[in-house]
């Protein structure tokens, strides 16, 4: 499965085209710490005064030293626009005036992950030994519902028999059950046998650049759903710089260009997102059909 950084790269390909937008870039010729204001780069001429991007950090540059192969940030320049100032390694790419900052795309990806629930759920499982003196067992934190419950029967067949009578409490007393989720079993199960519970919860957002899509809890087939969801959220901002200002010159200029093509592209991405989300939702329903059960 893709890492967080690879998801960002793939989403940017959706948004900027495979070769249509070629941003000016160079690279660091020496590493920098989070508080360094002078950056040594291979070609400072392509950067100039303004915003640059190094990894996920935006930096404001107000001086370019071409003979010295360096650019200089003011005291407020690191961690610009609420990004995080951090250390960067030698040979890291430095992009001039990024069209869509990576930090913006990462936020859109996580918003997309959060929004697919409950159409898509993160399915997982847990097991425990049955104790006839105990009817209620803790489930892992975040469990919201049950997909199936079964227990391993006696004998060489190793058959897993369905549990027909159970109840889930996704808001259990955290004092007695620290995970905040429990399942209560009411069937006659042989003491000591293993009980298997398949449950679902909300997908988890991504944080570190190396985190894989698997850590969201979503199936690998849903990767493109998340990319399309991020794309439709971000693409309208490509037109922001073309919006007319409050002046006669700006109004005249705005009449010379087609209005809001990115909005049309955003509607296309939204349509594709809704189609794929519905397909993946139907796929999960077929994999995890609703099972009848009884509660106390």
């Amino acid at each position: 499965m893709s890492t967080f950084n690879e998801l960002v790269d793939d989403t940017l390909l959706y948004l900027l085209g495979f070769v249509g937008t070629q941003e000016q870039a160079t690279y660091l010729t020496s590493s920098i710490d989070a508080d360094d204001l002078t950056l040594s780069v291979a070609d400072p001429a392509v950067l100039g005064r303004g915003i640059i991007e190094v990894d996920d950090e935006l930096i404001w540059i107000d001086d370019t030293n071409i003979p010295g192969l360096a650019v200089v940030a003011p005291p407020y320049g690191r961690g610009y626009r609420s990004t995080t100032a951090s250390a960067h390694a030698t040979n890291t790419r430095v992009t001039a005036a990024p069209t869509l900052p990576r930090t913006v795309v990462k936020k859109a990806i996580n918003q997309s992950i959060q929004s697919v629930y409950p159409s898509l759920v993160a399915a997982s499982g847990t097991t425990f030994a049955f104790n006839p003196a105990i009817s209620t067992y803790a489930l892992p934190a975040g469990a919201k519902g049950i997909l199936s419950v079964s227990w391993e029967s006696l004998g060489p067949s190793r058959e897993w028999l369905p549990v027909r009578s159970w109840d889930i409490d996704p808001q259990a007393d955290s004092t007695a059950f620290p995970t905040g989720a429990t399942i209560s079993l009411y069937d006659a199960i042989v003491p000591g046998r293993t009980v298997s519970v398949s449950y679902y919860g909300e997908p988890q957002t991504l944080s570190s650049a190396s985190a894989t899509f698997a850590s969201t809890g979503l199936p690998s087939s849903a990767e493109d759903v998340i990319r399309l969801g991020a794309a439709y959220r971000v693409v309208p901002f490509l037109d922001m710089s073309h919006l007319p200002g409050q002046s006669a010159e700006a109004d005249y200029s705005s009449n010379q260009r087609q209005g809001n093509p990115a909005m049309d592209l955003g509607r296309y991405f939204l349509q594709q997102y809704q189609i794929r989300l519905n397909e993946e939702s139907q796929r999960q329903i077929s994999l995890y059909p609703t099972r009848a059960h009884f509660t106390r």
Side-chain angles (χ1 to χ4, degrees), residues 1-3 7 122-123 204 206 211-220 223:
M1 290 189 178
S2 300
T3 64
L7 281 173
Q204 300 300 302
L206 300 169
T212 63
F213 188 76
S215 63
T216 65
L218 295 170
S220 59
E223 277 194 26

Side-chain angles (χ1 to χ4, degrees), residues 33-288:
D33 293 327
D35 55 357
D36 286 337
L37 298 179
T38 299
L39 287 67
S40 298
V41 296
D43 186 5
V46 305
L47 300 179
R49 183 185 179 97
I51 296 175
I52 65 171
E53 182 180 58
V54 186
D55 289 325
D56 295 342
E57 180 186 357
L58 296 180
I59 304 174
W60 177 267
I61 296 299
D62 66 359
D63 185 35
T64 303
N65 184 349
I66 295 179
L69 297 179
V71 292
V72 181
Y76 59 82
R78 295 299 304 272
Y80 195 63
R81 289 187 175 170
S82 299
T83 57
T84 301
S86 56
H88 304 286
T90 303
N91 296 329
T92 300
R93 176 186 172 94
V94 180
T95 304
T99 305
L100 288 172
R102 296 180 67 84
T103 185
V104 172
V105 177
K106 282 190 171 183
K107 289 179 181 178
I109 287 173
N110 277 331
Q111 289 169 352
S112 183
I113 291 171
Q114 291 174 318
S115 70
V116 295
Y117 181 84
S119 296
L120 294 182
V121 299
S124 191
T126 187
T127 60
F128 52 83
F130 181 73
N131 183 343
I134 301 174
S135 61
T136 301
Y137 300 81
L139 290 175
K144 300 293 185 183
I146 298 297
L147 298 171
S148 66
V149 187
S150 59
W151 65 280
E152 187 179 19
S153 65
L154 295 170
S157 69
R158 305 182 66 86
E159 182 181 5
W160 287 84
L161 302 175
V163 176
R164 301 294 188 186
S165 184
W166 54 264
D167 199 8
I168 183 175
D169 183 0
Q171 297 179 330
D173 179 11
S174 59
T175 301
F177 300 95
T179 63
T182 63
I183 183 171
S184 298
L185 305 178
Y186 309 121
D187 272 13
I189 300 173
V190 175
R193 303 308 295 170
T194 300
V195 176
S196 176
V197 179
S198 295
Y199 65 92
Y200 66 84
E202 297 183 33
Q204 300 300 302
T205 57
L206 300 169
S207 53
S208 67
S210 60
T212 63
F213 188 76
S215 63
T216 65
L218 295 170
S220 59
S221 57
E223 277 194 26
D224 67 321
V225 178
I226 301 305
R227 289 195 297 267
L228 289 166
Y232 94 76
R233 285 173 166 81
V234 172
V235 71
F237 294 102
L238 292 173
D239 266 344
M240 295 301 291
S241 61
H242 297 159
L243 295 178
Q246 300 298 317
S247 68
E249 293 82 0
D251 290 341
Y252 174 79
S253 177
S254 69
N255 291 329
Q256 311 308 309
R257 64 171 66 93
Q258 181 181 359
N260 298 337
M263 294 297 291
D264 294 334
L265 185 57
R267 283 189 284 269
Y268 167 77
F269 279 133
L270 176 58
Q271 181 185 49
Q272 295 303 306
Y273 165 75
Q274 291 171 331
I275 291 172
R276 284 293 296 119
L277 179 60
N278 182 65
E279 289 174 346
E280 282 299 309
S281 178
Q282 292 302 313
R283 181 175 180 273
Q284 278 203 336
I285 291 172
S286 66
L287 288 174
Y288 309 113

